[in-house]
Amino acid sequence: MISKIISLQAPAKTNYDVVIVGGAIMGASVAWFLSDNPDFDGSVLVVEKDPSYQYSCTGATNSCMRQQFSSEINVKCSQFAADFVKNLRQYMGNDHRVPDLKIQNFGYMYLADTEGFANILRESHAIQAAAGAGTKLLTPEKIKAAYPFYNVDDIVLGSLNLIDEGYWDSITVFDWWRKSARERGVEYITNETVSMTKNTAGTRVESITLKSGEVISCGKVVNCSGARAIETAKMAGITIPVEPRKRFTWIFDTEDKLDRPLPLTIDPSGVHVRQEGANNYQAGGHADYDPAVDYDDFEMDHNLWQDHIWPTLAARIPQFEAIKVTNEWAGHYAYNVFDHNMILGHHNQVGNFYFLNGDSGHGLQQSPAMGRGVAELLTYGEYRTLDLSVFDYSRIVKNEPFIEKAVI
């Protein structure tokens, strides 16, 4: 059970144009893009219950980026993220304090062991290529030639991209979004939203109530509550198909080092592993039984490592037979059980309640595009750069899922 004492902060005012519930990377992105938009001149309050972010989805992230998705818009979201990261200082107004960042392009390698899975990779490759991604399809022989350490005896096809796919410093971007937004007037407070009051017609949220007792009037509310998104939505009388799913990460060393960088390899089993720095590796996965979990459940499953993850790694890369775990943790995905894609836009009845929920594990890399898009929606009532309308909440009402097949 997670328990900590946090001093609650009162907001400076009693009324804000935009209240963002949740200050992790999604909330920080929306707040910064609002502050960066010369056409937005409103006030913004970000309410975050835990400023350490220790148990947020952001805090447990593996900070990876890829363009290998099955839908064009997801590819384009990651392409914008890559550009944003590589040009962070320019996006931050050429602030000399902002560091130069880069993407560590060890790449992603999807491995298919059936013709059905191989066909999905082929279909996705065509979408990625049309969007300008550098994905290449590889036969088992070509995989083995490029990466001799793989066992490819059961593999039908591989999909690899070494351009703008790999690790990025999401925490630095996150920190600068918060720092820059504060300097521009966005107010962050350590507090918790405990209830919302709607107007008599039930069409607008008129105010939020904080755990410390203050009642704050609001023009618009943005749900950026991560795995707890459904709890925030319930305060406005809304239900969304987002729940916390547990994901495990292990850092390990090996006696027999690989002779070249390891792409983030997605085994057909769902286990994934990648390079972690110069000498270590990082693996991740989850159990076959993958239910929603309690919000404070971060307990490790040691049997999962021993019985499934490690044997899978050793079978795919025999040099991983002798390895030693040096660190491990469990985190949560904000999992959209409807179609594994983000939910954006405003509610169909509570018109000033906005969603930025259900990233299902690819939210970090989409945070620049999603934050910018929601900021545009709040400012103009429409998207002005990438058209993100396929992610609109209305698809939930219509029961029209927008499926993303490449979910790890």
Side-chain angles (χ1 to χ4, degrees), residues 250-358:
W250 296 267
I251 307 295
F252 64 91
D253 192 8
T254 178
E255 288 185 2
D256 189 5
K257 296 286 191 297
L258 305 182
D259 64 351
R260 63 202 70 190
L262 174 65
L264 194 153
T265 304
I266 301 94
D267 189 79
S269 66
V271 173
H272 55 90
V273 61
R274 69 165 172 87
Q275 193 78 30
E276 172 69 12
N279 298 308
N280 293 315
Y281 304 92
Q282 181 185 89
H286 60 86
D288 290 337
Y289 177 58
D290 184 31
V293 297
D294 292 338
Y295 295 113
D296 60 356
D297 179 3
F298 293 92
E299 184 178 354
M300 287 299 295
D301 183 346
H302 299 290
N303 290 332
L304 178 63
W305 169 261
Q306 191 70 28
D307 298 340
H308 177 54
I309 305 295
W310 182 15
T312 300
L313 295 177
R316 184 61 58 204
I317 303 175
Q319 286 170 252
F320 286 167
E321 181 65 42
I323 58 180
K324 178 183 179 181
V325 173
T326 58
N327 195 12
E328 61 184 14
W329 64 88
H332 290 169
Y333 271 8
Y335 201 79
N336 176 3
V337 298
F338 183 66
D339 61 11
H340 310 143
N341 269 309
M342 199 76 73
I343 302 170
L344 303 182
H346 59 77
H347 190 253
N348 60 317
Q349 295 178 341
V350 187
N352 69 335
F353 188 96
Y354 288 76
F355 303 93
L356 185 43
N357 308 119

Side-chain angles (χ1 to χ4, degrees), residues 26 65-82 110 124 127-128 131 133 164-165 336 339-344 358-370 386-391 395 402-407:
M26 288 300 178
M65 181 181 295
R66 61 186 165 102
Q67 296 179 39
Q68 292 190 65
F69 288 95
S70 65
S71 58
E72 180 186 21
I73 188 60
N74 280 334
V75 177
K76 289 187 173 182
C77 285
S78 287
Q79 288 173 333
F80 174 64
Y110 280 83
S124 298
I127 292 168
Q128 294 154 21
D164 291 339
E165 290 204 345
N336 176 3
D339 61 11
H340 310 143
N341 269 309
M342 199 76 73
I343 302 170
L344 303 182
D359 55 78
S360 303
H362 46 273
L364 264 289
Q365 64 194 290
Q366 293 195 331
S367 58
M370 295 296 176
L386 283 178
D387 182 1
L388 303 177
S389 57
V390 294
F391 300 114
R395 78 185 193 276
F402 176 58
I403 301 296
E404 173 54 56
K405 299 175 182 177
V407 176

